[in-house]
Amino acid sequence: MSPTILVTGGAGFIGSHTCVALAAAGYAPLVLDNFCNSDVRVFERLARIIGSAPRFVEGDVRDRALLDRLFAEQPIAGVIHFAGLKSVGESVSDPLAYYDNNVHGSLVLAAAMEAASVHTLIFSSSATVYGATDRLPIGEGEALQPTNPYGHSKQMVEQALADLQRSDPRWRITLLRYFNPVGAHESGLIGEHPHGKPNNLMPYVSQVAVGLRDKLAVHGGDYPTPDGTGVRDYVHVMDLAEGHVAALRHAERQAGLATLNLGTGRGTSVLEVVKAFERASGRSIAYEIGPRRTGDVPSNWADPALAQATLGWRAQRGIDQMCADSWRWQQANPRGYES
Ligand code: NAD
Ligand code: UDP
């Protein structure tokens, strides 16, 4: 029988792609999601990719009674914890929502796991925990100095889980610090569909390409980078998804705490993303260079060597494939799962 993996937030962008990778690797994902930032119709799409829809439960990760019931109803081999809020700007205006959902939610989950003697946990952290640094590439030993409540909430959960693992060596905990997840499953059936105006570059560029928005505002053209625009480490969401499977396999072999960057180790500028998307879509992307966005760093990219050494995982897909897959999803689903 396939081992069941509880996937909190499994209806969301990274979670839904991870369900595909889990099923391909012989695991049975069981999704817990409150759909605050996702759409239940993702399961019809997943059924078309995987062959059958993953089981899902609508509910909140902060609901301890629900978690206790889920752990009692079936053997659960491990948990991948994606559920949380992820907008930096919103976290500044509503910090309590972020501490409640991200920190409190993770603590309730860890306590329910402890009570059920389930000790394998993979946690979605973020490169945001590093804040601004001049040292590139960024290694896991870099000082943590997040600059906003979202980043603080991730750092707090990392700290709590590290302390938990230290208190009981049965725990197998992996903290994955994602760089910039983009792209979509190659089928074009699942992908990212932010509500309202996208904050992130790739969804904005794809909405310009498909004609939903007039032009991209490039946030700053005077950074100390080769073309003056910001440089980031974009990583294909299917590479990330496969990284979670590799992390599960590693946890099966070895107890302990692992803290790992998931990135490609390559930086790509805003204008390079625009050009790559033009190649992928055959459309021209209108843009205008404007002022810098408050809080942005000029450049950041990962040192992914530790993830490779520990998990045997390496990102396989480059920026052209990220754009081609984003475009396939965007073109076929201009209004996300409503399309
Ligand atoms: P997403 O919003 O698409 O997915 C999160 C899912 O969790 C959604 O389906 C949402 O409905 C659900 N959810 C939120 N709060 C919940 C709760 N209390 N109970 C149950 N379900 C809840 O986001 P994503 O991009 O897939 O990100 C997944 C995780 O990865 C998040 O923890 C995020 O902070 C982290 N992360 C994302 C990025 C990124 O750029 N996408 C980068 C670094 C880290
Ligand atoms: N960016 C931009 N215009 C946008 C959105 C983003 O120029 O509409 C730039 C941003 O300044 C950064 C890069 O694109 O240099 C990636 O931004 P994103 O918000 O996607 O990721 P993050 O800043 O969190 O790394």
Side-chain angles (χ1 to χ4, degrees), residues 143-173:
L144 304 188
Q145 37 195 2
T147 56
N148 53 68
Y150 168 67
H152 287 133
S153 76
K154 292 292 181 188
Q155 185 187 8
M156 286 178 186
V157 177
E158 285 199 2
Q159 183 68 58
L161 295 179
D163 289 341
L164 177 62
Q165 202 288 323
R166 233 171 270 126
S167 76
D168 180 345
R170 288 176 300 173
W171 280 96
R172 296 158 187 268
I173 296 180

PDB file of all heavy atoms in Angstrom, residues 143-173:
ATOM      1  N   ALA A 143      23.447  34.618   8.156  1.00  0.00           N
ATOM      2  CA  ALA A 143      22.637  35.121   9.280  1.00  0.00           C
ATOM      3  C   ALA A 143      21.190  35.314   8.836  1.00  0.00           C
ATOM      4  O   ALA A 143      20.935  35.708   7.696  1.00  0.00           O
ATOM      5  CB  ALA A 143      23.210  36.445   9.756  1.00  0.00           C
ATOM      6  N   LEU A 144      20.262  35.035   9.753  1.00  0.00           N
ATOM      7  CA  LEU A 144      18.843  35.243   9.435  1.00  0.00           C
ATOM      8  C   LEU A 144      18.431  36.619   9.941  1.00  0.00           C
ATOM      9  O   LEU A 144      18.533  36.907  11.130  1.00  0.00           O
ATOM     10  CB  LEU A 144      17.981  34.152  10.083  1.00  0.00           C
ATOM     11  CG  LEU A 144      18.353  32.713   9.733  1.00  0.00           C
ATOM     12  CD1 LEU A 144      17.302  31.738  10.287  1.00  0.00           C
ATOM     13  CD2 LEU A 144      18.495  32.517   8.221  1.00  0.00           C
ATOM     14  N   GLN A 145      17.998  37.456   9.025  1.00  0.00           N
ATOM     15  CA  GLN A 145      17.543  38.786   9.443  1.00  0.00           C
ATOM     16  C   GLN A 145      16.379  39.236   8.556  1.00  0.00           C
ATOM     17  O   GLN A 145      16.515  40.171   7.771  1.00  0.00           O
ATOM     18  CB  GLN A 145      18.682  39.808   9.425  1.00  0.00           C
ATOM     19  CG  GLN A 145      19.658  39.626   8.274  1.00  0.00           C
ATOM     20  CD  GLN A 145      20.939  40.390   8.484  1.00  0.00           C
ATOM     21  OE1 GLN A 145      21.144  41.035   9.503  1.00  0.00           O
ATOM     22  NE2 GLN A 145      21.811  40.358   7.491  1.00  0.00           N
ATOM     23  N   PRO A 146      15.241  38.535   8.695  1.00  0.00           N
ATOM     24  CA  PRO A 146      14.097  38.903   7.854  1.00  0.00           C
ATOM     25  C   PRO A 146      13.657  40.336   8.141  1.00  0.00           C
ATOM     26  O   PRO A 146      13.868  40.846   9.240  1.00  0.00           O
ATOM     27  CB  PRO A 146      13.012  37.903   8.264  1.00  0.00           C
ATOM     28  CG  PRO A 146      13.446  37.312   9.557  1.00  0.00           C
ATOM     29  CD  PRO A 146      14.933  37.422   9.605  1.00  0.00           C
ATOM     30  N   THR A 147      13.047  40.949   7.118  1.00  0.00           N
ATOM     31  CA  THR A 147      12.722  42.373   7.234  1.00  0.00           C
ATOM     32  C   THR A 147      11.218  42.624   7.283  1.00  0.00           C
ATOM     33  O   THR A 147      10.797  43.764   7.170  1.00  0.00           O
ATOM     34  CB  THR A 147      13.305  43.130   6.024  1.00  0.00           C
ATOM     35  OG1 THR A 147      12.781  42.499   4.834  1.00  0.00           O
ATOM     36  CG2 THR A 147      14.815  43.080   5.982  1.00  0.00           C
ATOM     37  N   ASN A 148      10.410  41.571   7.425  1.00  0.00           N
ATOM     38  CA  ASN A 148       8.961  41.786   7.461  1.00  0.00           C
ATOM     39  C   ASN A 148       8.295  40.664   8.262  1.00  0.00           C
ATOM     40  O   ASN A 148       8.917  39.618   8.491  1.00  0.00           O
ATOM     41  CB  ASN A 148       8.408  41.862   6.025  1.00  0.00           C
ATOM     42  CG  ASN A 148       8.830  40.642   5.221  1.00  0.00           C
ATOM     43  OD1 ASN A 148       8.398  39.524   5.492  1.00  0.00           O
ATOM     44  ND2 ASN A 148       9.719  40.852   4.255  1.00  0.00           N
ATOM     45  N   PRO A 149       7.042  40.874   8.683  1.00  0.00           N
ATOM     46  CA  PRO A 149       6.377  39.867   9.533  1.00  0.00           C
ATOM     47  C   PRO A 149       6.265  38.491   8.872  1.00  0.00           C
ATOM     48  O   PRO A 149       6.375  37.471   9.550  1.00  0.00           O
ATOM     49  CB  PRO A 149       4.987  40.471   9.781  1.00  0.00           C
ATOM     50  CG  PRO A 149       5.202  41.945   9.650  1.00  0.00           C
ATOM     51  CD  PRO A 149       6.247  42.113   8.582  1.00  0.00           C
ATOM     52  N   TYR A 150       6.072  38.431   7.554  1.00  0.00           N
ATOM     53  CA  TYR A 150       6.029  37.126   6.880  1.00  0.00           C
ATOM     54  C   TYR A 150       7.343  36.372   7.130  1.00  0.00           C
ATOM     55  O   TYR A 150       7.354  35.210   7.554  1.00  0.00           O
ATOM     56  CB  TYR A 150       5.796  37.326   5.377  1.00  0.00           C
ATOM     57  CG  TYR A 150       6.009  36.072   4.557  1.00  0.00           C
ATOM     58  CD1 TYR A 150       5.151  34.979   4.694  1.00  0.00           C
ATOM     59  CD2 TYR A 150       7.076  35.963   3.661  1.00  0.00           C
ATOM     60  CE1 TYR A 150       5.364  33.816   3.944  1.00  0.00           C
ATOM     61  CE2 TYR A 150       7.284  34.820   2.922  1.00  0.00           C
ATOM     62  CZ  TYR A 150       6.428  33.747   3.061  1.00  0.00           C
ATOM     63  OH  TYR A 150       6.641  32.596   2.342  1.00  0.00           O
ATOM     64  N   GLY A 151       8.472  37.062   6.887  1.00  0.00           N
ATOM     65  CA  GLY A 151       9.780  36.437   7.086  1.00  0.00           C
ATOM     66  C   GLY A 151       9.998  36.071   8.553  1.00  0.00           C
ATOM     67  O   GLY A 151      10.537  35.008   8.867  1.00  0.00           O
ATOM     68  N   HIS A 152       9.565  36.964   9.465  1.00  0.00           N
ATOM     69  CA  HIS A 152       9.687  36.642  10.897  1.00  0.00           C
ATOM     70  C   HIS A 152       8.891  35.388  11.235  1.00  0.00           C
ATOM     71  O   HIS A 152       9.334  34.549  12.018  1.00  0.00           O
ATOM     72  CB  HIS A 152       9.182  37.805  11.754  1.00  0.00           C
ATOM     73  CG  HIS A 152      10.105  38.980  11.766  1.00  0.00           C
ATOM     74  ND1 HIS A 152       9.689  40.278  11.587  1.00  0.00           N
ATOM     75  CD2 HIS A 152      11.447  39.051  11.915  1.00  0.00           C
ATOM     76  CE1 HIS A 152      10.729  41.093  11.637  1.00  0.00           C
ATOM     77  NE2 HIS A 152      11.805  40.371  11.830  1.00  0.00           N
ATOM     78  N   SER A 153       7.698  35.267  10.646  1.00  0.00           N
ATOM     79  CA  SER A 153       6.858  34.103  10.987  1.00  0.00           C
ATOM     80  C   SER A 153       7.555  32.813  10.537  1.00  0.00           C
ATOM     81  O   SER A 153       7.531  31.806  11.249  1.00  0.00           O
ATOM     82  CB  SER A 153       5.450  34.234  10.383  1.00  0.00           C
ATOM     83  OG  SER A 153       5.445  33.970   8.986  1.00  0.00           O
ATOM     84  N   LYS A 154       8.224  32.838   9.398  1.00  0.00           N
ATOM     85  CA  LYS A 154       8.938  31.644   8.921  1.00  0.00           C
ATOM     86  C   LYS A 154      10.132  31.347   9.835  1.00  0.00           C
ATOM     87  O   LYS A 154      10.402  30.199  10.177  1.00  0.00           O
ATOM     88  CB  LYS A 154       9.418  31.844   7.478  1.00  0.00           C
ATOM     89  CG  LYS A 154       8.286  31.917   6.449  1.00  0.00           C
ATOM     90  CD  LYS A 154       7.584  30.572   6.304  1.00  0.00           C
ATOM     91  CE  LYS A 154       6.480  30.598   5.286  1.00  0.00           C
ATOM     92  NZ  LYS A 154       5.675  29.378   5.260  1.00  0.00           N
ATOM     93  N   GLN A 155      10.848  32.402  10.228  1.00  0.00           N
ATOM     94  CA  GLN A 155      12.012  32.192  11.100  1.00  0.00           C
ATOM     95  C   GLN A 155      11.569  31.610  12.451  1.00  0.00           C
ATOM     96  O   GLN A 155      12.215  30.717  12.997  1.00  0.00           O
ATOM     97  CB  GLN A 155      12.747  33.513  11.312  1.00  0.00           C
ATOM     98  CG  GLN A 155      14.027  33.326  12.118  1.00  0.00           C
ATOM     99  CD  GLN A 155      14.693  34.635  12.498  1.00  0.00           C
ATOM    100  OE1 GLN A 155      14.141  35.723  12.292  1.00  0.00           O
ATOM    101  NE2 GLN A 155      15.890  34.535  13.055  1.00  0.00           N
ATOM    102  N   MET A 156      10.453  32.119  12.977  1.00  0.00           N
ATOM    103  CA  MET A 156       9.966  31.617  14.274  1.00  0.00           C
ATOM    104  C   MET A 156       9.616  30.134  14.197  1.00  0.00           C
ATOM    105  O   MET A 156       9.926  29.373  15.106  1.00  0.00           O
ATOM    106  CB  MET A 156       8.719  32.398  14.706  1.00  0.00           C
ATOM    107  CG  MET A 156       9.019  33.787  15.182  1.00  0.00           C
ATOM    108  SD  MET A 156       7.454  34.598  15.589  1.00  0.00           S
ATOM    109  CE  MET A 156       8.048  36.230  15.930  1.00  0.00           C
ATOM    110  N   VAL A 157       8.958  29.746  13.106  1.00  0.00           N
ATOM    111  CA  VAL A 157       8.589  28.329  12.968  1.00  0.00           C
ATOM    112  C   VAL A 157       9.852  27.485  12.834  1.00  0.00           C
ATOM    113  O   VAL A 157       9.980  26.425  13.465  1.00  0.00           O
ATOM    114  CB  VAL A 157       7.637  28.110  11.776  1.00  0.00           C
ATOM    115  CG1 VAL A 157       7.334  26.626  11.605  1.00  0.00           C
ATOM    116  CG2 VAL A 157       6.346  28.890  11.969  1.00  0.00           C
ATOM    117  N   GLU A 158      10.813  27.956  12.051  1.00  0.00           N
ATOM    118  CA  GLU A 158      12.084  27.214  11.933  1.00  0.00           C
ATOM    119  C   GLU A 158      12.696  26.996  13.311  1.00  0.00           C
ATOM    120  O   GLU A 158      13.144  25.890  13.650  1.00  0.00           O
ATOM    121  CB  GLU A 158      13.089  27.995  11.069  1.00  0.00           C
ATOM    122  CG  GLU A 158      12.815  27.961   9.580  1.00  0.00           C
ATOM    123  CD  GLU A 158      14.079  28.334   8.777  1.00  0.00           C
ATOM    124  OE1 GLU A 158      15.139  28.568   9.393  1.00  0.00           O
ATOM    125  OE2 GLU A 158      13.987  28.393   7.542  1.00  0.00           O
ATOM    126  N   GLN A 159      12.708  28.062  14.120  1.00  0.00           N
ATOM    127  CA  GLN A 159      13.312  27.968  15.462  1.00  0.00           C
ATOM    128  C   GLN A 159      12.558  26.959  16.323  1.00  0.00           C
ATOM    129  O   GLN A 159      13.163  26.109  16.984  1.00  0.00           O
ATOM    130  CB  GLN A 159      13.280  29.361  16.115  1.00  0.00           C
ATOM    131  CG  GLN A 159      13.931  29.419  17.473  1.00  0.00           C
ATOM    132  CD  GLN A 159      15.438  29.211  17.383  1.00  0.00           C
ATOM    133  OE1 GLN A 159      16.133  29.962  16.694  1.00  0.00           O
ATOM    134  NE2 GLN A 159      15.957  28.181  18.037  1.00  0.00           N
ATOM    135  N   ALA A 160      11.235  27.052  16.305  1.00  0.00           N
ATOM    136  CA  ALA A 160      10.423  26.148  17.136  1.00  0.00           C
ATOM    137  C   ALA A 160      10.647  24.697  16.716  1.00  0.00           C
ATOM    138  O   ALA A 160      10.787  23.809  17.581  1.00  0.00           O
ATOM    139  CB  ALA A 160       8.941  26.523  17.014  1.00  0.00           C
ATOM    140  N   LEU A 161      10.714  24.445  15.413  1.00  0.00           N
ATOM    141  CA  LEU A 161      10.878  23.063  14.949  1.00  0.00           C
ATOM    142  C   LEU A 161      12.288  22.547  15.252  1.00  0.00           C
ATOM    143  O   LEU A 161      12.469  21.374  15.585  1.00  0.00           O
ATOM    144  CB  LEU A 161      10.552  22.960  13.455  1.00  0.00           C
ATOM    145  CG  LEU A 161       9.085  23.258  13.088  1.00  0.00           C
ATOM    146  CD1 LEU A 161       8.878  23.154  11.580  1.00  0.00           C
ATOM    147  CD2 LEU A 161       8.122  22.322  13.821  1.00  0.00           C
ATOM    148  N   ALA A 162      13.279  23.426  15.168  1.00  0.00           N
ATOM    149  CA  ALA A 162      14.650  23.007  15.510  1.00  0.00           C
ATOM    150  C   ALA A 162      14.708  22.651  16.998  1.00  0.00           C
ATOM    151  O   ALA A 162      15.314  21.644  17.390  1.00  0.00           O
ATOM    152  CB  ALA A 162      15.638  24.124  15.172  1.00  0.00           C
ATOM    153  N   ASP A 163      14.077  23.459  17.855  1.00  0.00           N
ATOM    154  CA  ASP A 163      14.054  23.160  19.295  1.00  0.00           C
ATOM    155  C   ASP A 163      13.325  21.853  19.564  1.00  0.00           C
ATOM    156  O   ASP A 163      13.743  21.051  20.409  1.00  0.00           O
ATOM    157  CB  ASP A 163      13.377  24.306  20.063  1.00  0.00           C
ATOM    158  CG  ASP A 163      14.250  25.560  20.097  1.00  0.00           C
ATOM    159  OD1 ASP A 163      15.470  25.455  19.864  1.00  0.00           O
ATOM    160  OD2 ASP A 163      13.701  26.650  20.342  1.00  0.00           O
ATOM    161  N   LEU A 164      12.232  21.642  18.826  1.00  0.00           N
ATOM    162  CA  LEU A 164      11.455  20.409  19.006  1.00  0.00           C
ATOM    163  C   LEU A 164      12.315  19.193  18.657  1.00  0.00           C
ATOM    164  O   LEU A 164      12.352  18.203  19.398  1.00  0.00           O
ATOM    165  CB  LEU A 164      10.213  20.471  18.101  1.00  0.00           C
ATOM    166  CG  LEU A 164       9.315  19.244  18.081  1.00  0.00           C
ATOM    167  CD1 LEU A 164       8.725  18.979  19.469  1.00  0.00           C
ATOM    168  CD2 LEU A 164       8.166  19.448  17.066  1.00  0.00           C
ATOM    169  N   GLN A 165      13.029  19.280  17.546  1.00  0.00           N
ATOM    170  CA  GLN A 165      13.860  18.148  17.115  1.00  0.00           C
ATOM    171  C   GLN A 165      14.959  17.867  18.149  1.00  0.00           C
ATOM    172  O   GLN A 165      15.255  16.719  18.469  1.00  0.00           O
ATOM    173  CB  GLN A 165      14.468  18.461  15.735  1.00  0.00           C
ATOM    174  CG  GLN A 165      14.900  17.219  14.955  1.00  0.00           C
ATOM    175  CD  GLN A 165      16.139  16.562  15.536  1.00  0.00           C
ATOM    176  OE1 GLN A 165      17.048  17.250  16.001  1.00  0.00           O
ATOM    177  NE2 GLN A 165      16.180  15.228  15.509  1.00  0.00           N
ATOM    178  N   ARG A 166      15.508  18.946  18.701  1.00  0.00           N
ATOM    179  CA  ARG A 166      16.564  18.786  19.710  1.00  0.00           C
ATOM    180  C   ARG A 166      16.026  18.105  20.969  1.00  0.00           C
ATOM    181  O   ARG A 166      16.728  17.386  21.656  1.00  0.00           O
ATOM    182  CB  ARG A 166      17.132  20.166  20.068  1.00  0.00           C
ATOM    183  CG  ARG A 166      18.636  20.226  19.929  1.00  0.00           C
ATOM    184  CD  ARG A 166      19.176  21.644  20.062  1.00  0.00           C
ATOM    185  NE  ARG A 166      19.235  22.312  18.778  1.00  0.00           N
ATOM    186  CZ  ARG A 166      18.688  23.492  18.502  1.00  0.00           C
ATOM    187  NH1 ARG A 166      18.000  24.161  19.418  1.00  0.00           N
ATOM    188  NH2 ARG A 166      18.813  24.014  17.308  1.00  0.00           N
ATOM    189  N   SER A 167      14.744  18.317  21.242  1.00  0.00           N
ATOM    190  CA  SER A 167      14.152  17.771  22.472  1.00  0.00           C
ATOM    191  C   SER A 167      13.834  16.288  22.344  1.00  0.00           C
ATOM    192  O   SER A 167      13.654  15.605  23.346  1.00  0.00           O
ATOM    193  CB  SER A 167      12.859  18.525  22.801  1.00  0.00           C
ATOM    194  OG  SER A 167      11.810  18.094  21.923  1.00  0.00           O
ATOM    195  N   ASP A 168      13.724  15.800  21.110  1.00  0.00           N
ATOM    196  CA  ASP A 168      13.305  14.402  20.924  1.00  0.00           C
ATOM    197  C   ASP A 168      13.899  13.899  19.608  1.00  0.00           C
ATOM    198  O   ASP A 168      13.446  14.275  18.519  1.00  0.00           O
ATOM    199  CB  ASP A 168      11.767  14.346  20.867  1.00  0.00           C
ATOM    200  CG  ASP A 168      11.245  12.919  20.673  1.00  0.00           C
ATOM    201  OD1 ASP A 168      12.046  12.031  20.303  1.00  0.00           O
ATOM    202  OD2 ASP A 168      10.039  12.711  20.873  1.00  0.00           O
ATOM    203  N   PRO A 169      14.923  13.049  19.703  1.00  0.00           N
ATOM    204  CA  PRO A 169      15.665  12.642  18.487  1.00  0.00           C
ATOM    205  C   PRO A 169      14.855  11.783  17.523  1.00  0.00           C
ATOM    206  O   PRO A 169      15.347  11.473  16.435  1.00  0.00           O
ATOM    207  CB  PRO A 169      16.853  11.861  19.046  1.00  0.00           C
ATOM    208  CG  PRO A 169      16.468  11.469  20.427  1.00  0.00           C
ATOM    209  CD  PRO A 169      15.476  12.466  20.932  1.00  0.00           C
ATOM    210  N   ARG A 170      13.627  11.430  17.906  1.00  0.00           N
ATOM    211  CA  ARG A 170      12.828  10.665  16.934  1.00  0.00           C
ATOM    212  C   ARG A 170      12.358  11.544  15.774  1.00  0.00           C
ATOM    213  O   ARG A 170      11.958  11.048  14.721  1.00  0.00           O
ATOM    214  CB  ARG A 170      11.606  10.032  17.620  1.00  0.00           C
ATOM    215  CG  ARG A 170      11.962   8.869  18.532  1.00  0.00           C
ATOM    216  CD  ARG A 170      10.747   8.359  19.250  1.00  0.00           C
ATOM    217  NE  ARG A 170      10.145   9.413  20.079  1.00  0.00           N
ATOM    218  CZ  ARG A 170       8.981   9.299  20.717  1.00  0.00           C
ATOM    219  NH1 ARG A 170       8.288   8.179  20.630  1.00  0.00           N
ATOM    220  NH2 ARG A 170       8.514  10.290  21.446  1.00  0.00           N
ATOM    221  N   TRP A 171      12.372  12.857  15.962  1.00  0.00           N
ATOM    222  CA  TRP A 171      11.874  13.746  14.898  1.00  0.00           C
ATOM    223  C   TRP A 171      12.794  13.731  13.680  1.00  0.00           C
ATOM    224  O   TRP A 171      14.015  13.674  13.814  1.00  0.00           O
ATOM    225  CB  TRP A 171      11.752  15.185  15.413  1.00  0.00           C
ATOM    226  CG  TRP A 171      10.504  15.418  16.213  1.00  0.00           C
ATOM    227  CD1 TRP A 171      10.386  15.383  17.567  1.00  0.00           C
ATOM    228  CD2 TRP A 171       9.197  15.721  15.702  1.00  0.00           C
ATOM    229  NE1 TRP A 171       9.082  15.644  17.936  1.00  0.00           N
ATOM    230  CE2 TRP A 171       8.331  15.860  16.809  1.00  0.00           C
ATOM    231  CE3 TRP A 171       8.667  15.886  14.414  1.00  0.00           C
ATOM    232  CZ2 TRP A 171       6.972  16.165  16.680  1.00  0.00           C
ATOM    233  CZ3 TRP A 171       7.315  16.189  14.277  1.00  0.00           C
ATOM    234  CH2 TRP A 171       6.490  16.316  15.404  1.00  0.00           C
ATOM    235  N   ARG A 172      12.158  13.783  12.528  1.00  0.00           N
ATOM    236  CA  ARG A 172      12.849  13.878  11.235  1.00  0.00           C
ATOM    237  C   ARG A 172      12.272  15.124  10.561  1.00  0.00           C
ATOM    238  O   ARG A 172      11.198  15.063   9.963  1.00  0.00           O
ATOM    239  CB  ARG A 172      12.545  12.636  10.390  1.00  0.00           C
ATOM    240  CG  ARG A 172      13.075  11.358  11.015  1.00  0.00           C
ATOM    241  CD  ARG A 172      12.363  10.110  10.525  1.00  0.00           C
ATOM    242  NE  ARG A 172      12.818   8.951  11.304  1.00  0.00           N
ATOM    243  CZ  ARG A 172      13.830   8.160  10.941  1.00  0.00           C
ATOM    244  NH1 ARG A 172      14.426   8.336   9.788  1.00  0.00           N
ATOM    245  NH2 ARG A 172      14.211   7.178  11.720  1.00  0.00           N
ATOM    246  N   ILE A 173      12.968  16.230  10.714  1.00  0.00           N
ATOM    247  CA  ILE A 173      12.402  17.515  10.257  1.00  0.00           C
ATOM    248  C   ILE A 173      13.295  18.119   9.176  1.00  0.00           C
ATOM    249  O   ILE A 173      14.519  18.183   9.328  1.00  0.00           O
ATOM    250  CB  ILE A 173      12.256  18.490  11.450  1.00  0.00           C
ATOM    251  CG1 ILE A 173      11.238  17.906  12.458  1.00  0.00           C
ATOM    252  CG2 ILE A 173      11.833  19.877  10.968  1.00  0.00           C
ATOM    253  CD1 ILE A 173      11.004  18.762  13.687  1.00  0.00           C
TER     254      ILE A 173
END
